Amino acid sequence: MTAEHIRLAVALRELRVRTGLSLAALSERTTYSKSSWERYLNGKSLPPRQAVQELCRVADEPNGRLLALWEIAESNWSGRAAVSAPVAVEPCPQPQPQEPPRRPDTGRPGLRGGRLTVALACTVIVVGVALLLFWLPDREDPEDEPLSAHPPYSLAPQCQGAACEGQDPMRLVCGISPHTLITYRTATGAHVELRYSEKCGASWARTWGARIGDRVEVTAGGPTHDVRVEDKADTQTYVYTEMAAVRPDTTVRACFRPASADGERECVEARLDDAPVTARSPSPRRAGEE
């Protein structure tokens, strides 16, 4: 299981939790069985591309970023990331026609031993490639196992508090079941969410429905971390900032900066001593207002 596969599994598990669906309910709303989803979400096997698309559909989530994660994980899983062309088995080297140097008489022909070594090496290569090709496809598991609380290859958060400052929430596994402190819609129609991981003690902001050049930032009284919508692919999914470390009674602020010169910066805040709630389309304060 590669690091890319772990990141994909983490993102899929977070998305499934957000739907509020059990594995049985998820299987009823998709074309994949309960046992298949258990394997995909636990990282036991790589999900098909269509499974990722269907989970995004059920969760009403833009699928661009999840499909990008899938592409990376699949290329490593299949071995395509390690080669730039289809794998070809090299022909076994043929013994040279010239006579090899004479060895002391041991009762065994020296050339025969060399040929045997070459033949064995070729056999190992061919068998290895055959086994690789045999095991690459997903293997069906007849057992319908429940989703384990501790899947293989620890998906526990990899940082806490100050150690999370400026780090990627998905890469450090802080994106599993985070609280949504605030959700709002900007004047341009973009959506911004302020997220918080209690286990990591950190917050970040994300945006979707934005335009190229739009920017969102987050701060919790320390450094400000921001992310910019760079291209068309970003406009079709969501982008998120790095994390800001937070403490109890901390006020976390997210600000949206539109790309247009006449657009106004829009900011919202949330205090961590408040119960995490999701607020739809509030009236965010303009920058500089108290």
Side-chain angles (χ1 to χ4, degrees), residues 42-230:
N42 274 338
K44 294 179 181 178
S45 63
L46 187 72
R49 180 186 177 92
Q50 183 180 342
V52 177
Q53 292 175 312
E54 291 193 22
L55 180 56
C56 289
R57 172 183 55 79
V58 170
D60 194 23
E61 178 82 2
N63 63 21
R65 183 169 296 276
L66 270 296
L67 289 179
L69 285 177
W70 181 87
E71 290 285 352
I72 297 171
E74 194 277 335
S75 66
N76 282 276
W77 178 280
S78 65
R80 290 189 296 107
V83 293
S84 57
V87 176
V89 178
E90 293 291 335
C92 295
Q94 298 298 320
Q96 298 298 319
Q98 64 266 24
E99 198 70 27
R102 291 186 176 274
R103 300 181 180 180
D105 188 6
T106 60
R108 292 177 299 176
L111 182 58
R112 181 180 179 183
R115 286 175 175 168
L116 180 60
T117 300
V118 170
L120 286 174
C122 291
T123 301
V124 170
I125 292 173
V126 172
V127 172
V129 171
L131 288 175
L132 177 64
L133 295 176
F134 177 78
W135 286 108
L136 277 180
D138 289 343
R139 299 181 297 282
E140 289 298 324
D141 185 353
E143 297 184 4
D144 194 0
E145 302 176 5
L147 185 62
S148 64
H150 302 285
Y153 300 91
S154 175
L155 298 181
Q158 302 297 301
C159 69
Q160 211 285 326
C164 295
E165 188 74 54
Q167 300 296 324
D168 186 318
M170 299 303 172
R171 185 174 64 85
L172 294 190
V173 202
C174 294
I176 294 182
S177 304
H179 296 297
T180 298
L181 299 177
I182 249 179
T183 300
Y184 71 95
R185 186 172 183 176
T186 70
T188 64
H191 289 80
V192 173
E193 278 188 346
L194 190 55
R195 311 276 269 172
Y196 167 63
S197 168
E198 185 175 359
K199 291 183 178 180
C200 290
S203 286
W204 63 96
R206 69 177 188 172
T207 184
W208 69 92
R211 303 170 184 173
I212 296 175
D214 288 348
R215 189 182 299 271
V216 66
E217 60 187 34
V218 66
T219 184
T224 296
H225 305 288
D226 68 335
V227 65
R228 181 179 181 273
V229 178
E230 299 289 350

